[in-house]
Every structure is written in C-alpha cells, then in structure tokens.
Amino acid sequence: GNVYDVSLFKQQHPGGRYIEQAAGGDVEPFWNIWAYHYLSPKVNQALAETHIGTLKDYKQIDTLPDAYSEEPKRNIDHQVVLIKKPFCSETKPLKLNSYLTDPDSLYVRNHAPVPPGLNIASHAIYFSMGDENNEHEVATLSMKDLESLFQRKSVTSVLQCAGNRAREDARATGANGFTGTPFESISIGLVGNVKWAGVPLTDVLKSLYPVECRSAETSEGCGWHVVFTGADDYETSTPLSHILKTNECLLATHMNGVQLLPDHGYPVRVIIPGVAGARQVKWLQSIRLCNQPSVSPWNSHYYRMCTGSHIQTLPLQSLILSHMDGQLISCNNDSLRVEGVAYTGGLGTKIDRVDLSADNGATWTSAELLWNEIEYDDSSSNYAW
C-alpha cells in the first residue's frame, strides 16, 4: 500500500511510460516487466527517495500475470546464464573459438520480455522525422517492401555488449555500475562474430531522407541522429553521419544463413558494425530522424562513458580463449599453445599482427593469424575477428 511520487523518476527510468499506464492504480504489473528491479541494489534507494505515503485501505492483488510467460525456448547448454528475467547470458569461451558464432550460443542481452507475436510476414517499420513533440510520418514499409526495393547484402561483424569484461574492468579500475549486481561476474562472453544478412540501412535512409543524408555527409549536417525503437520499448540513437560513413549497416533478418532467433531480434534488427550492441536495436519497429540524440532513458542515462558521452564505437581488442583467467598452466618443453581472437572494433580494418608475452612484456612472440578461416561476404570493410 505504499505510495510513490515518480514524476522525476519516470524521466530517468526506461519503464516510465509503462508506469504511467497504472494511472494511479497498482503499479506492480508494470513493475514486473522490468524484473531487474528485484536484482539491483539501487532500487531500494530509489523507492526510499520517492516514497510519499501509505494507503490505509489497500487490498493486495493475490495473483499477477507473468510478463515473461511467453518467452522463447532456449538452448542454454552453450551459454552462461546471468539472469533469467530478463534473460541475459554469456557465450561460453569454447563456443567463441571459431570464425562464426553459432546463433544458439551467441550471448543474449535483453532488457524486458521478448515481444510476443511478431511475424516477418506482417511486420512493418514506421519511418518518421522530428522530435517526440513534433513528429511526422515519412513512410511505413513492410519487410516485403524493403526486400523488393533494396538489394540484399551480407556483412560479418562482431556483436559485443558495452558491458563485456565487466569483471576485468572492476579489477583494473575499481567498482563500476555492475558492482553488487549479477552482472559483476561478466567475463569475456558478451560477444560473438556473426554473418548478418538484410537490406543496407544506408540505402534505405538515403532513399527516404535524401536531403538530410546529403547534408550529413558534410560538416553542415553533423547534427542529425537516427533514433531506433524496438517492440520492447527500447530506444536509442546513433549519429547519421556515422552510419553513412560505411555501407555495411543493415536492417538484418538473418544470422549465419538462418532467420534471426527471437532473442536476437526476429523479425528484424539493426546492425551497425563496429558499434556497441546497445545501439543495434532488436525487434525494430520504428526509425526516426531527429536533430538531437534520443532523449529516452536508455540513451540519456545509460550506456554512457564516465565522461558523459554516448558509447558508440568499440575499441581494438583481443581475447584469449584457450585458457581461463587465473588458470594455472603446466608447460611441456617450455612451450604453450595459446588460441584466441582479435578485432579492430570500430576501425573496420583487418588485424595486422597479434603479439603475446609470457613475462610481463619483457619479450614478445607474434601469433599466427588464421586467414584461411575467414568466410567472405558482401562487405568491403572488415568488422569481423
């Protein structure tokens, strides 16, 4: 029977629009959509700060509908489950030690229930322009429309969550936003390499927003942003100029030759190679061109650097997969076989060399790069490992 004033809180919370639907009634059904509430240490503090009173004649609801009752079936044998509601998992290191990551093994980072009832045959994307208070429609295109208007393309790129390696980060730099939560144990598994297929996002944007795209390709149009919204109400944005730098961005419908799995955005998701997974919206419903970044809580308060800037491009990095962090190793004949992957992040170029050291950097050995494992696609850049 507690009463809370969420007037300011809803502007920072991703579920603010859901809370409004309670309309002065019981917020519990909407609260349960964001099941991470029950795991975050920040929630009790937020409740204490917004508490304004208690109802005397409050009747507790006996049963509540489970917002996660229609979750897809999952094969978790090749994943490390972090939390079940919303479902989040890491790819097991053994499953990363190949050129392409199997869709069933690829990590999952959901923020809410997987939207039920989506179907590629009836799905359409709403395109608009303007801010939330002054928006006008540009077009609504079905998936059939898009595939008939634009040539299909395949691009292989690394998909990585901005929170990958959280455990290493905390050990190196101190407590971070995941400290004290189930995510503080994140190792190296919020990543994978996938061959995506779909229609080129750049072609779609240039067709629907020709004037703005021409402007964005010059310094005069650097203020345009592409706002993506998914069926789970997740919203974020990326600068239009960044998307136009390459023709590798996709409205993807397939991964490794099969339809997107529900956990990975079926029927369509955004793929922006070299950019953090947080910007590559799943279950895409709408695209809006705006002269400012998205003001949604996901974009305004989350997935930001310590400097306050939005996390976009991924850094150059490498992962050792043949041995676990902290593992004690016995060496025969003073030699050790080490395997792993490396990628250039947002640079879009090939790895030139990988060096390893077993004596804290005193000496280095160059690794053998397995170029013969690469499966070629329609990309003219290199965002894969």
Side-chain angles (χ1 to χ4, degrees), residues 24-279:
D26 196 331
V27 76
E28 193 77 4
F30 306 99
W31 179 273
N32 287 338
I33 292 174
W34 308 100
Y36 187 61
H37 288 145
Y38 300 104
L39 302 171
S40 173
K42 298 177 182 179
V43 172
N44 287 334
Q45 178 184 348
L47 290 174
E49 292 174 351
T50 56
H51 184 260
I52 59 174
T54 305
L55 294 176
K56 288 185 177 180
D57 301 322
Y58 174 73
K59 183 179 180 182
Q60 178 71 40
I61 298 176
D62 294 330
T63 58
L64 293 169
D66 183 3
Y68 292 83
S69 62
E70 298 185 58
E71 289 287 274
K73 292 182 179 180
R74 300 178 173 106
N75 181 357
I76 60 174
D77 292 342
H78 302 150
Q79 299 179 41
V80 178
V81 178
L82 297 169
I83 57 176
K84 294 182 178 180
K85 293 182 181 182
F87 187 79
C88 298
S89 66
E90 287 191 67
T91 309
K92 288 186 177 179
L94 180 64
K95 292 298 176 179
L96 293 174
N97 204 7
S98 61
Y99 182 67
L100 294 181
T101 308
D102 184 76
D104 279 330
S105 302
L106 183 64
Y107 82 93
V108 176
R109 179 67 172 100
N110 294 339
H111 297 90
V114 174
L118 299 181
N119 191 299
I120 194 168
S122 57
H123 194 76
I125 300 175
Y126 175 79
F127 295 87
S128 64
M129 189 169 175
D131 58 34
E132 290 185 330
N133 300 317
N134 186 25
E135 179 183 0
H136 65 271
E137 181 178 0
V138 173
T140 298
L141 298 176
S142 68
M143 297 310 302
K144 185 177 181 180
D145 293 333
L146 288 166
E147 292 176 351
S148 65
L149 291 170
F150 303 97
Q151 186 173 357
R152 188 179 180 82
K153 181 176 183 176
S154 64
V155 174
T156 305
S157 74
V158 168
L159 181 71
Q160 177 174 305
C161 179
N164 198 33
R165 308 177 84 157
R167 185 173 64 191
E168 292 179 42
D169 175 70
R171 189 168 56 205
T173 63
N176 55 36
F178 294 138
T179 301
T181 78
F183 293 129
E184 68 180 356
S185 65
I186 293 173
S187 182
I188 60 173
L190 291 184
V191 67
N193 193 50
V194 178
K195 180 184 282 189
W196 310 97
V199 298
L201 174 59
T202 302
D203 292 353
V204 176
L205 295 177
K206 286 184 175 181
S207 174
L208 296 177
Y209 308 98
V211 175
E212 294 74 21
C213 286
R214 284 194 296 270
S215 174
E217 290 176 325
T218 69
S219 58
E220 298 176 0
C222 61
W224 291 108
H225 298 263
V226 185
V227 180
F228 304 102
T229 305
D232 61 341
D233 209 38
Y234 181 91
E235 178 183 298
T236 189
S237 63
T238 292
L240 175 61
S241 58
H242 182 88
I243 293 174
L244 296 178
K245 285 179 182 177
T246 173
N247 199 32
E248 316 297 1
C249 303
L250 299 175
L251 298 179
T253 57
H254 287 70
M255 55 192 305
N256 294 356
V258 300
Q259 277 192 330
L260 294 173
L261 298 183
D263 271 325
H264 296 299
Y266 174 85
V268 59
R269 73 172 298 164
V270 179
I271 292 297
I272 309 177
V275 166
R279 311 300 171 198

Side-chain angles (χ1 to χ4, degrees), residues 345-367:
L347 297 177
T349 58
K350 285 185 177 181
I351 288 289
D352 181 64
R353 193 177 78 233
V354 176
D355 294 339
L356 296 92
S357 176
D359 52 15
N360 294 319
T363 60
W364 294 86
T365 301
S366 292

